[in-house]
Amino acid sequence: SRRCGLAAGRSYSGGGAYPSVSLTCPLPGVPKAVFAAAESRERFETRVTVLENGLRVASQNKFGQFCTVGILVNSGSRHEAKYLSGISHFLEKLAFSSTAQFGSKDEILLTLEKHGGICDCQASRDTIMYAVSADARGLDTVVNLLADVTLQPRLSDEEIEMTRMAIRFELEDLNMRPDPEPLLTEMIHAAAFRDNTVGLNRFCPVENTDKIDRDVLHSYLSSYYTPDRMVLAGVGIEHEHLVECARKYLLGVQPVWGTRQGRAVDRSVAQYTGGIVKVEKDMSDVSLGPTPIPELTHIMIGLESCSFLENDFIPFAVLNMMMGGGGSFSAGGPGKGMFTRLYLNVLNRHHWMYNATSYHHSYEDTGLLCIHASADPKQVREMVEIITREFILMAGAVGEVELERAKTQLKSMLMMNLESRPVIFEDVGRQVLATNTRKLPHELCALISQVKPTDIKRVVTKMLHKKPAVAALGDLTDLPTYEHIQAALSSKDGRLPRLYRLFR
């Protein structure tokens, strides 16, 4: 009692005497602190409203001066089967150009600048996303702009010609850049889903750049840019205000393509085929200079996983985190994944491998788990052997410590990513577009915690029954045949000696 009492005092420069109270004791005479708390949990959860025309409006409240608002459309390269390939790529480049209200892209940027705003458009295999981050007080202007950009683009001849030039330049750059990741991702999808849905090319083929014009774009837009295939999502704003703006600018609007009827919407379900896509390419002069990148051959091997709507999606996400990996120049350490299998079993044991990384792509009706590896062309055969062995070892025993580490790392990555307002916006928009609702982070973390070793073994066994998809880029002289790779992955009993003999 003496320690927490008024037994001693200290004079400060201000002249007052304060009691010398331990930090573990409350200050005498000071009222008890009352901490701020959310009035109700529901107020900060994702809210969804469906308008009369079928448009979904989703919002997530969040403290802060700025908001991120955008329109997501259920449209992408997978829907181009009845059209020229590359339309989504064109629409991505043409986004935020002149509209019925705004004469040019500069005018749009100046309008956003008044509210401290920036804009962006991204097209993927199944979604096109128009997004704006700006001061929340400018929400009315932002929604008006998004509605105009989405439904009233001018698509002038000059803008389309500039887009053709930009796409040709991007395609040249894609084939010249030192990092082959985007090209390999295209190749592995083409191998896994040959000529259907998510296997269709995400980038516009060179031969189609001159064929896509305003009429082609209007025909596509009339089919896919309909209210029932759209979500207006916002983060950092009041839901009622966003719904009010949606009714004002997106309800009953006549789009620039009028009432013309497009072709029937493609509702094809992804058909996994497996197969191989090879591109022989001289990689010796990819990066010249004082410290050039060595000549490498890149291999990506994948197997079908599952849709993000299935219960097995979470075990596959944990498995992907458990495999992990990275480049040989990643030093490891906490947060760098040095305990993942591709570090421990591959990069730490085979110094000549430059990269071994696991990726998981998931869509509404399918998924693809793949491993990308890079090495000197003379060691391609051994590299393929090592990667196929890792796939087979996935079906083996899963250590409790290893699994808990992967689950913790996945939850940590999820929560850290959702600190960013644009990431929350994309998460809200994509989930509502696919399911009309949203699983909150704590729900996902609970599902991750429930994953058991038996779940991992079950999904791996299911995955190993499929034919592999293989993408190979570079000097492929020593690449084993597709039949050898397929036979190696079919040894599901994990008898590794047989696996080794297949390549010798």
Side-chain angles (χ1 to χ4, degrees), residues 124-151:
S124 63
R125 286 182 162 77
D126 53 2
T127 310
I128 294 181
M129 179 174 64
Y130 301 82
V132 171
S133 287
D135 192 303
R137 290 171 293 185
L139 181 64
D140 198 273
T141 303
V142 167
V143 176
N144 179 25
L145 170 63
L146 284 166
D148 216 40
V149 164
T150 311
L151 300 175

Side-chain angles (χ1 to χ4, degrees), residues 202-260:
R202 193 169 68 85
F203 297 102
C204 180
V206 178
E207 62 271 16
N208 285 357
T209 53
D210 289 325
K211 298 176 185 175
I212 296 176
D213 55 20
R214 189 189 297 110
D215 284 340
V216 172
L217 293 170
H218 278 180
S219 174
Y220 181 86
L221 291 167
S222 64
S223 295
Y224 290 96
Y225 276 48
T226 55
D228 59 301
R229 299 180 65 85
M230 292 182 179
V231 168
L232 173 66
V235 177
I237 36 81
E238 293 287 345
H239 185 72
E240 289 75 13
H241 191 186
L242 186 62
V243 172
E244 181 188 332
C245 291
R247 290 186 181 279
K248 186 175 179 182
Y249 298 111
L250 286 161
L251 197 61
V253 176
Q254 181 75 11
V256 71
W257 48 88
T259 56
R260 64 186 289 176

Side-chain angles (χ1 to χ4, degrees), residues 286-305:
V286 167
S287 177
L288 302 176
T291 54
I293 295 175
E295 180 182 359
L296 299 174
T297 293
H298 301 272
I299 304 293
M300 195 176 272
I301 300 176
L303 292 164
E304 187 182 22
S305 57

Side-chain angles (χ1 to χ4, degrees), residues 68-197:
T68 298
V69 183
I71 293 177
L72 292 91
V73 188
N74 186 7
S75 159
S77 58
R78 69 170 297 165
H79 300 106
E80 293 171 359
K82 300 177 183 177
Y83 293 87
L84 287 169
S85 177
I87 291 177
S88 299
H89 196 185
F90 258 78
L91 291 173
E92 179 185 43
K93 297 296 178 190
L94 283 164
F96 295 99
S97 297
S98 63
T99 68
Q101 292 183 46
F102 301 92
S104 67
K105 188 164 193 168
D106 289 340
E107 197 174 323
I108 289 175
L109 295 177
L110 285 170
T111 302
L112 287 175
E113 195 175 295
K114 294 174 185 175
H115 301 284
I118 56 173
C119 61
D120 187 29
C121 177
Q122 292 180 7
S124 63
R125 286 182 162 77
D126 53 2
T127 310
I128 294 181
M129 179 174 64
Y130 301 82
V132 171
S133 287
D135 192 303
R137 290 171 293 185
L139 181 64
D140 198 273
T141 303
V142 167
V143 176
N144 179 25
L145 170 63
L146 284 166
D148 216 40
V149 164
T150 311
L151 300 175
Q152 303 284 337
R154 285 187 184 172
L155 305 179
S156 68
D157 293 337
E158 183 184 355
E159 288 168 346
I160 290 174
E161 188 55 43
M162 290 292 290
T163 299
R164 289 189 182 117
M165 293 171 60
I167 286 175
R168 289 189 194 110
F169 176 80
E170 186 174 346
L171 293 174
E172 287 179 20
D173 179 63
L174 190 67
N175 289 310
M176 291 170 59
R177 64 172 66 179
D179 176 24
E181 197 61 49
L183 196 56
L184 278 167
T185 301
E186 287 303 301
M187 292 166 63
I188 195 73
H189 278 82
F193 306 93
R194 191 171 293 277
D195 299 326
N196 76 90
T197 57

